[in-house]
Amino acid sequence: MHNIGEIIEKMREGTAMGPVRVKEIKERGIPVVGTYCTFTPWELINAAGGFPVSLCSTSEKPIAAAEKHLPRNLCPLIKSSYGFALTDTCPYFHFCDMVIGETTCDGKKKMYEYLGQMRHTHVMQLPQNVDGKNSMVLWKDEILRLKSVLEATFNTDITNEKLSASIKLRNRMHRTMMEFYDLSKLPCPVLTGKEIMLVSDYLKFSFDYEEAIKLVSDLTLKLKENYDSGERRICPGAKRILITGCPMGKSLEKVADAIESRETGGIIVGFENCGNLKCSSSPVDESSDPIDAITEKYLNIPCSVMSPNTKRLELIKKYVREYRAEGVIDVILQACHTYAVESHSVRECLQEAEIPYMAAETDYSQGDTGQLATRFGAFIEMI
Amino acid sequence: MYTAGIDIGSSNIKTALWNGLTFDVWSQPTGWEIESTSQAAIQTLLERSSLNMGDISHIVATGYGRKMCGFAERSVTEITCHAAGASFMINGAETVLDIGGQDIKVITMDRDGKVTDFLMNDKCAAGTGRFLSNMAVLLGYSLKDFSEIPDETEIQTISSMCTVFAESEVISLLARGIQKQNIALGLLDSIALRAAGMVDRLSSSGSVVMTGGPALNKTLASLISKHLGRPVLTPEMPQHSGAIGAALIAAKRNI
Ligand code: SF4
Ligand code: SF4
């Protein structure tokens, strides 16, 4: 087995190889399906014989191009994703046979209308709340509709056997990630938030799932062994922070950097955000009907586009307890209304539980790193 | 033994020397050479008391340039330092409004001066010290005249808070023959309204301690108080509260 540095380096390379792998997949005639959101049922695409690729972009580069069609005052995630498609500068989008979107936030669902002019786009109608029979019925219909669209587009049958196999694979991936994330429950964390981000990304963009599961498990094991033998990678005095809010990506590494710099003295012990704890902690039930189980799992994602979304509050408090967080930082992308509005209720809920909380608005530019450092610094001095 | 605090702001470097009982303070423009200006600012302060570097046991740096100060052994954010400074200068202070050269901060704290929450507006220069001095220049006022606008003056409402737009608005008002002092009061009122709004977001009662250079502007302080409906207190050396807080924090490490 390799040492930790080597494993992490291998993951970095794996992520960087993503575009090449997608090209190979495409050349073998295997469908590539673009996704923009955690609500997209990964298992259905996998069962259709396709490869889901996350297209949520976090680079500032294509934003200017996107602003030709989209307003300036729009969430950078939407603009960046659209800009990449428009300029055809994202290899993942380039190789996509089709993309799947959902009626999540206003900006995103309107953006899909334009995206549809560039690529075969299927938009799922996402209910606006979780409770009640109607939401369940609507969402199940949408899952079934997606199933037939995928079957027709890729000329295949999505059988229950195939679905069950995909569910099992995805659950194994989630379990592997949870075991990895859970390392941060240790009294002295063994990972930085930036490393957690790197590993999550690796699993997202390495298209050899078995290899990825193996490598992440190896890393988890190795870190545990080293911890048990007394190695401490992280300064024990660092203040433990849970991150919540909008999806985090490459450009928001600046947030992790600012929190975890030596002067600030924080350490991120978990991300409640999309693509991390929130999606890996609740697997699809393997014992019930696959379509019902998938419907149930995805409808219950506690995202701010749902109203009400009280489950997110419970989840944050639960993670604070489990990961022994000493403070919560809510990262809100400029012009993301759903998360910005929800910030007030998160603040109130955490205040009541006497958990220090701060919200920070940011975007994909690197111009605010100084201000972020001051804010995070003051917050950490306060807790 | 002495401790020192140095607050490296966007406009000025402020220093404070604490001997356990009293403070001596000094400030000078930041300029381009932060490292050497910081050094010079501390030296000036030391020489005034016939001391040298060796007499200082601990130095804490704060302000936006806090990490560029090589001789300070530790950097602490200006939020924490302003809270410590304000609560030392005004006993029992619970809310601080700090208007700095390029940002506005509201800080709430407990009785010991420990921060409990804060808010920062740093996206643009609107309503900050920089805005204030630009406008004073535009109107041909000294900062002192700007701060003593007669009570009976009528307010000329200014609708723009963005420095660029406010500037052209002021110019066109002047061209229309509107009195300088009415415009000045309008500018101060728009800053006051904005600052009061920020205070209200974080704390709803009790007096507010105002720090930072613009706190010396009496008209501004009284306008803020009027909008808040709460007393606004200004300590003796409001622009040094960050440096004083830093020196106090440095002293705590001494114990
Ligand atoms: S935050 Fe919500 S809308 Fe955005 S990607 Fe995640 S689940 Fe989808
Ligand atoms: S971050 Fe907010 S505005 Fe942006 S896509 Fe997600 S939910 Fe929509």
Side-chain angles (χ1 to χ4, degrees):
Chain A
M1 206 199 287
H2 312 271
N3 69 31
I4 290 162
E6 281 167 2
I7 299 179
I8 289 184
E9 204 33 56
K10 232 175 137 184
M11 290 181 169
R12 215 189 293 272
E13 281 163 20
T15 312
M17 281 297 286
V20 177
R21 290 206 169 160
V22 170
K23 180 165 176 277
E24 286 165 7
I25 289 167
K26 179 78 178 198
E27 281 164 0
R28 278 189 281 147
I30 300 169
V32 177
V33 179
T35 67
Y36 286 95
C37 173
T38 306
F39 281 106
T40 318
W42 190 97
E43 294 83 350
L44 276 183
I45 303 171
N46 183 262
F51 273 88
V53 246
S54 165
L55 298 176
C56 270
S57 314
T58 70
S59 157
E60 199 191 2
K61 239 188 271 156
I63 287 185
E67 284 175 354
K68 284 194 189 127
H69 298 173
L70 302 175
R72 286 197 60 199
N73 185 26
L74 189 69
C75 149
L77 193 155
I78 302 174
K79 284 194 288 192
S80 173
S81 303
Y82 183 73
F84 268 127
L86 192 64
T87 53
D88 198 16
T89 44
C90 168
Y92 294 115
F93 183 83
H94 182 81
F95 292 117
C96 274
D97 295 284
M98 74 176 288
V99 299
I100 301 172
E102 294 75 18
T103 52
T104 48
C105 63
D106 288 350
K108 242 183 181 177
K109 73 187 177 206
K110 297 304 285 182
M111 182 270 278
Y112 293 138
E113 293 174 16
Y114 297 154
L115 204 66
Q117 296 166 7
M118 291 180 250
R119 196 66 102 243
H120 174 195
T121 302
H122 174 79
V123 178
M124 300 177 79
Q125 303 289 322
L126 183 73
Q128 308 247 308
N129 75 45
V130 193
D131 308 313
K133 207 174 100 234
N134 287 344
S135 296
M136 203 64 178
V137 172
L138 170 61
W139 189 234
K140 181 170 173 182
D141 268 358
E142 285 300 300
I143 300 266
L144 289 170
R145 195 164 67 92
L146 174 66
K147 177 169 171 276
S148 28
V149 168
L150 288 168
E151 286 174 331
T153 312
F154 302 119
N155 197 16
T156 178
D157 266 335
I158 300 180
T159 61
N160 271 1
E161 286 69 50
K162 289 186 193 165
L163 261 184
S164 296
S166 299
I167 291 175
K168 288 209 175 82
L169 169 63
R170 189 61 170 164
N171 282 352
R172 274 177 56 223
M173 290 165 74
H174 285 324
R175 264 198 306 276
T176 307
M177 286 315 285
M178 280 315 288
E179 279 166 19
F180 169 73
Y181 294 142
D182 281 354
L183 289 170
S184 293
K185 289 180 176 172
L186 290 167
C188 180
V190 295
L191 285 154
T192 63
K194 206 165 157 181
E195 287 167 338
I196 299 179
M197 285 176 80
L198 183 137
V199 176
S200 306
D201 262 4
Y202 165 66
L203 199 78
K204 241 199 252 162
F205 295 108
S206 137
F207 297 95
D208 184 335
Y209 303 131
E210 292 304 333
E211 182 191 80
I213 290 176
K214 169 100 192 10
L215 206 56
V216 176
S217 312
D218 280 356
L219 179 62
T220 308
L221 208 70
K222 191 83 196 146
L223 283 163
K224 246 191 226 153
E225 271 177 24
N226 288 3
Y227 186 84
D228 287 338
S229 65
E231 190 196 288
R232 295 292 175 266
R233 299 180 73 225
I234 311 284
C235 159
K239 291 274 197 274
R240 306 169 69 107
I241 302 294
L242 178 79
I243 303 287
T244 181
C246 295
M248 298 274 292
K250 202 80 191 141
S251 288
L252 295 186
E253 267 184 5
K254 66 178 177 184
V255 169
D257 283 337
I259 293 172
E260 296 180 331
S261 78
R262 208 172 48 85
E263 287 91 1
T264 311
I267 181 82
I268 297 170
V269 289
F271 295 89
E272 184 265 347
N273 321 54
C274 252
N276 285 280
L277 290 173
K278 177 146 61 189
C279 63
S280 290
S281 62
S282 50
V284 176
D285 182 1
E286 292 179 16
S287 64
S288 39
D289 170 71
I291 291 289
D292 285 339
I294 288 175
T295 307
E296 164 107 34
K297 139 115 202 186
Y298 284 94
L299 187 61
N300 278 290
I301 294 169
C303 168
S304 68
V305 298
M306 291 292 189
S307 172
N309 180 35
T310 44
K311 254 201 258 148
R312 175 168 168 233
L313 304 179
E314 293 315 311
L315 210 58
I316 294 175
K317 283 195 284 188
K318 176 172 166 268
Y319 292 148
V320 165
R321 267 195 316 275
E322 292 180 356
Y323 294 85
R324 311 172 199 228
E326 294 163 272
V328 176
I329 295 180
D330 200 350
V331 180
I332 299 171
L333 287 173
Q334 232 165 57
C336 170
H337 300 320
T338 56
Y339 277 100
V341 170
E342 220 166 87
S343 161
H344 174 64
S345 58
V346 178
R347 176 186 291 273
E348 283 202 319
C349 161
L350 293 182
Q351 227 156 34
E352 199 174 305
E354 293 184 14
I355 300 162
Y357 166 86
M358 79 167 282
E361 195 193 67
T362 185
D363 60 13
Y364 291 169
S365 73
Q366 301 299 310
D368 61 353
T369 48
Q371 288 100 316
L372 287 176
T374 301
R375 279 166 203 241
F376 296 150
F379 179 67
I380 283 167
E381 282 161 6
M382 180 183 112
I383 57 185
Chain B
M1 215 36 169
Y2 294 83
T3 62
I6 177 160
D7 178 1
I8 306 170
S10 57
S11 318
N12 293 297
I13 291 184
K14 283 87 53 178
T15 51
L17 187 68
W18 170 242
N19 64 8
L21 288 172
T22 55
F23 274 105
D24 189 18
V25 296
W26 169 254
S27 86
Q28 64 186 76
T30 304
W32 299 108
E33 301 282 338
I34 290 187
E35 181 80 56
S36 57
T37 319
S38 309
Q39 192 81 45
I42 281 281
Q43 279 306 336
T44 311
L45 198 59
L46 287 172
E47 277 160 24
R48 286 212 312 217
S49 308
S50 319
L51 298 169
N52 57 45
M53 266 309 205
D55 296 313
I56 304 181
S57 63
H58 296 280
I59 303 181
V60 165
T62 187
Y64 103 105
R66 63 189 180 279
K67 285 170 193 160
M68 292 176 237
C69 177
F71 56 84
E73 70 210 72
R74 196 156 74 108
S75 74
V76 174
T77 63
E78 47 272 41
I79 314 255
T80 303
C81 290
H82 272 287
S87 98
F88 172 81
M89 292 188 289
I90 294 195
N91 219 335
E94 284 177 348
T95 307
V96 177
L97 166 66
D98 174 68
I99 304 188
Q102 59 178 16
D103 61 20
I104 305 181
K105 308 177 199 63
V106 179
I107 309 161
T108 58
M109 54 216 192
D110 63 16
R111 292 259 150 192
D112 302 321
K114 192 169 158 16
V115 179
T116 52
D117 208 350
F118 64 91
L119 207 76
M120 229 171 132
N121 161 28
D122 49 24
K123 287 271 144 61
C124 64
T128 62
R130 170 96 17 111
F131 179 80
L132 209 67
S133 42
N134 283 354
M135 292 304 141
V137 170
L138 194 63
L139 290 170
Y141 272 138
S142 71
L143 276 178
K144 185 166 178 302
D145 298 336
F146 209 11
S147 92
E148 287 164 2
I149 297 172
D151 282 346
E152 62 280 10
T153 310
E154 210 178 295
I155 293 188
Q156 167 62 48
T157 309
I158 307 286
S159 52
S160 286
M161 271 306 274
C162 164
T163 316
V164 181
F165 293 127
E167 217 169 272
S168 47
E169 197 176 338
V170 167
I171 292 170
S172 81
L173 288 170
L174 286 171
R176 271 172 38 204
I178 311 274
Q179 287 288 309
K180 243 168 59 169
Q181 56 181 24
N182 302 16
I183 300 173
L185 196 62
L187 283 167
L188 291 175
D189 195 55
S190 68
I191 299 174
L193 197 62
R194 197 184 170 96
M198 275 181 72
V199 172
D200 264 335
R201 271 177 63 194
L202 210 61
S203 95
S204 53
S205 64
S207 57
V208 176
V209 177
M210 203 174 153
T211 61
L216 293 167
N217 188 313
K218 293 193 199 96
T219 310
L220 181 62
S222 80
L223 286 168
I224 294 174
S225 169
K226 193 185 88 195
H227 285 302
L228 279 173
R230 296 156 60 177
V232 169
L233 313 172
T234 308
E236 225 172 281
M237 300 172 285
Q239 68 280 43
H240 284 99
S241 113
I244 289 176
L248 289 168
I249 291 170
K252 270 201 195 134
R253 306 245 302 176
N254 239 349
I255 309 168

